Amino acid sequence: MSEQARIDRLAEALEGILADPRAPLPPADAELAELLSIAHDLRDLPRPTFRARLGADLLRRVTMTTAATATTAREGIRTVIPYLAVRPAAELIEFVTQAFGAQELLRTTGSAGGIHAEVRIGDSDVMIGGGGAWGGPPTPTGLHLYVPDADQVYRAALEAGAESLYAPVDQPYGDREAGVKDVAGNHWYIATHQAGGHVPPDLGTVTPFLHPRGAAELIDFMKQAFAAEELAIHREPEGRIAHAKIRVGGSVIEMGEAHDQWGPMPTMFYLYVDDVDAWYRRALAAGATSLEAPAPQPYGERRAAVRDAFDNQWYLATPMP
Amino acid sequence: MAPRAPAAEIPLGGDDERLLIEAAKTDPRRFAELYERNFNRVYAFVARRAGDRAEAEDLTADVFHEALANLGRFEWRGVPFAAWLLRIARNAVIDRWQRTTRERGEPAQDPGGDENLADVDRRAMLADLVGRLPGDQRRVVLERFVEQKSIREIARELGRTEGAVKQLQFRALENLRARMKDVHE
């Protein structure tokens, strides 16, 4: 039988299997019968979105039950949350909800008259601010997003109004990956890890991804200012950093040296720390410029802010007793 | 680069697993790894015993929530963690069945059936392998078998001809057959 005939016979037999799951497998030669038996089992395949959602639910439950001990017991920097300050803040919240299934945790009015919102995508929190009376400079950036099915999420992102940066492709480092630019100018690298789970073991659902000019210097600054650690650094033969994973507290920031159309998109980070004043002094000593000296905020946090030499803004905060 | 083993190929009950369980007992966030390793097995077990997809998902969620809540009680005696999870799954299936039959006034029966664990493992492995198919093939498999979409609908979404989608469907199944054989040999 020609291959085309086999393709058609399989397609026809599958129509029957899918239409009536209880029907016995149709008669077929040994080779086709093996494919039909696999097809029969594929009807019990789980939905990738269900697997991801349940995984996130479990993690949330764990985080809630361990948060009380973790926040008091662990010292230093706990979490780094990317803060996307953009003019179309409401549209961006709508986009991440539609395209990535984000959950809106909080939406309020920020001190500068714009929206302040916190959303959760998978296991990761992202802050979104701006719009309204807010007139600050926007800080859209690059974000690495791991999902069960990059192709499907890429399509959903385009349907939700994103612009394609590149269509899904199997990357040499083993991820299926696509790129989109959202309504506010953020770049999302939508990926499915191809081994084990769909997220690599050392990353979460969302990881900020920077393309600075001078990645090695930025990493040095992060080490001095925020006690960052190198998890992985891949250099090109001439020594340029192609990809780095840098741990700050319990979070990871990825970066690669700026190249081609992937230029710097400096952004804002919100860091929860144990001692705002001490980390603020340490950041200044590492060469950062002060944006805000430590001060209590009306929403119950003590906060400071600095800017690094690459124009990233680092907000340091701790809840007040 | 060494070939990477899908989760279901990871040997059950090894030292690795024991260490992971001990780690998860002290830091419950490590439970995520146990979840990733065992999700397909638990789902494969309950899917054949549930009435439909929604019920299979509810049961799977019940199993992992219960396992997380009771992880401290799991005692390592060389019994694979998966066997413990499947015992929780079996009880969850029976509980649900008894509740349903009681509500309908029918006599309760044991829906557990024969515990053909080789069959569960095979279907879990198949789910792992689907996750490793080339993107286009994986997408056609998910759209066709999970979303139950027709060849025509998938062709429209992908912007391909129906013939091309049938070919992807064929290649995907051929690939899965070959990879299942590789795993077993």
Side-chain angles (χ1 to χ4, degrees):
Chain A
M1 197 189 301
S2 72
E3 184 175 82
Q4 188 56 50
R6 304 191 65 74
I7 291 171
D8 290 340
R9 277 211 59 196
L10 175 71
E12 196 182 320
L14 286 185
E15 294 291 342
I17 289 181
L18 289 168
D20 181 3
R22 285 190 200 86
L25 293 179
D29 60 56
E31 208 176 322
L32 188 60
E34 275 187 70
L35 298 187
L36 292 179
S37 159
I38 288 173
H40 193 258
D41 285 342
L42 285 174
R43 292 170 312 132
D44 288 332
L45 209 55
R47 287 188 301 143
T49 45
F50 164 67
R51 179 181 178 150
R53 202 182 58 229
L54 176 56
D57 282 353
L58 290 164
L59 199 66
R60 200 156 32 244
R61 189 168 135 186
V62 166
T63 314
M64 278 163 62
T65 51
T66 54
T69 47
T71 49
T72 50
R74 286 176 55 201
E75 291 188 358
I77 296 178
R78 293 201 303 275
T79 345
V80 179
I81 304 174
Y83 197 119
L84 309 172
V86 298
R87 290 197 206 293
E91 290 85 345
L92 179 58
I93 297 167
E94 179 64 21
F95 169 77
V96 293
T97 307
Q98 266 187 36
F100 307 142
Q103 274 179 280
E104 191 173 319
L105 304 176
L106 167 77
R107 189 189 296 219
T108 178
T109 303
S111 49
I115 289 174
H116 167 80
E118 296 175 21
V119 301
R120 181 163 294 154
I121 306 176
D123 63 13
S124 308
D125 289 349
V126 176
M127 294 181 177
I128 294 175
W134 176 79
T139 61
T141 195
L143 298 139
H144 203 171
L145 171 72
Y146 276 99
V147 295
D149 185 345
D151 292 71
Q152 189 192 19
V153 173
Y154 169 73
R155 205 167 64 241
L158 297 190
E159 276 167 17
E163 178 189 318
S164 177
L165 294 171
Y166 52 100
V169 59
D170 290 321
Q171 295 285 19
Y173 40 84
D175 284 0
R176 175 87 175 157
E177 189 189 275
V180 301
K181 182 174 169 179
D182 69 30
V183 60
N186 298 289
H187 289 183
W188 295 87
Y189 313 113
I190 303 168
T192 300
H193 192 54
Q194 305 280 12
H198 64 271
V199 183
D202 47 0
L203 296 180
T205 310
V206 178
T207 308
F209 200 123
L210 303 174
H211 281 113
R213 283 190 216 291
E217 290 77 16
L218 175 53
I219 293 170
D220 279 346
F221 166 77
M222 286 164 66
K223 284 182 187 169
Q224 287 175 38
F226 307 126
E229 294 166 54
E230 295 175 5
L231 286 185
I233 298 217
H234 298 286
R235 291 178 188 275
E236 287 171 15
E238 69 274 26
R240 216 167 52 156
I241 291 178
H243 181 221
K245 290 180 190 171
I246 308 298
R247 180 184 291 286
V248 180
S251 306
V252 177
I253 294 174
E254 292 180 274
M255 71 181 78
E257 187 70 29
H259 65 100
D260 305 318
Q261 75 270 41
W262 311 109
M265 296 172 79
T267 190
M268 255 155 76
F269 293 105
Y270 211 88
L271 283 69
Y272 280 103
V273 299
D274 58 342
D275 183 341
V276 172
D277 298 65
W279 286 102
Y280 171 75
R281 284 194 301 272
R282 183 169 165 162
L284 296 187
T289 316
S290 175
L291 292 173
E292 278 180 12
Q297 300 297 318
Y299 52 86
E301 288 179 2
R302 182 166 178 80
R303 193 181 78 186
V306 300
R307 185 196 301 278
D308 65 29
F310 303 83
D311 262 349
N312 297 296
Q313 299 167 52
W314 303 84
Y315 281 77
L316 308 164
T318 196
M320 291 188 295
Chain B
M1 193 189 294
R4 293 174 286 195
E9 284 180 67
I10 294 166
L12 294 174
D15 273 355
D16 263 13
E17 191 177 76
R18 187 172 59 84
L19 292 174
L20 185 52
I21 293 163
E22 290 310 316
K25 281 184 183 178
T26 50
D27 180 0
R29 281 168 299 185
R30 301 294 298 275
F31 186 78
E33 287 169 60
L34 291 168
Y35 170 74
E36 288 298 335
R37 284 185 181 208
N38 289 285
F39 174 85
N40 280 335
R41 257 196 203 93
V42 170
Y43 191 89
F45 180 90
V46 301
R48 280 286 156 96
R49 291 161 175 81
D52 55 28
R53 186 173 290 281
E55 195 180 350
E57 293 184 351
D58 283 352
L59 282 164
T60 305
D62 290 349
V63 172
F64 281 106
H65 279 291
E66 194 176 332
L68 176 59
N70 292 302
L71 189 64
R73 290 192 209 157
F74 177 79
E75 284 182 31
W76 183 264
R77 294 202 184 102
V79 179
F81 187 65
W84 185 67
L85 284 176
L86 293 189
R87 201 162 61 232
I88 297 177
R90 189 167 188 280
N91 289 337
V93 170
I94 291 171
D95 280 355
R96 186 168 288 236
W97 181 266
Q98 287 178 337
R99 209 167 47 237
T100 315
T101 48
R102 209 169 30 242
E103 281 162 11
R104 289 186 192 147
E106 295 165 7
Q109 292 170 27
D110 177 357
D114 292 336
E115 304 291 336
N116 187 346
L117 294 184
D119 186 50
V120 170
D121 273 356
R122 187 173 46 78
R123 283 182 288 116
M125 174 99 47
L126 186 63
D128 277 344
L129 292 173
V130 167
R132 295 152 59 81
L133 284 173
D136 281 357
Q137 293 178 18
R138 184 175 64 241
R139 198 165 149 202
V140 168
V141 166
L142 292 174
E143 299 274 8
R144 193 84 176 107
F145 294 96
V146 177
E147 303 299 333
Q148 303 262 314
K149 288 187 181 162
S150 68
I151 295 282
R152 179 172 298 175
E153 284 173 292
I154 301 171
R156 199 167 46 230
E157 282 179 13
L158 293 181
R160 310 280 283 265
T161 64
E162 291 184 29
V165 174
K166 285 181 187 174
Q167 194 181 43
L168 282 170
Q169 174 177 266
F170 180 76
R171 296 257 179 274
L173 288 173
E174 288 255 287
N175 247 327
L176 290 172
R177 178 181 56 178
R179 292 177 190 203
M180 290 291 277
K181 275 196 175 144
D182 284 350
V183 169
H184 287 301
E185 277 165 10

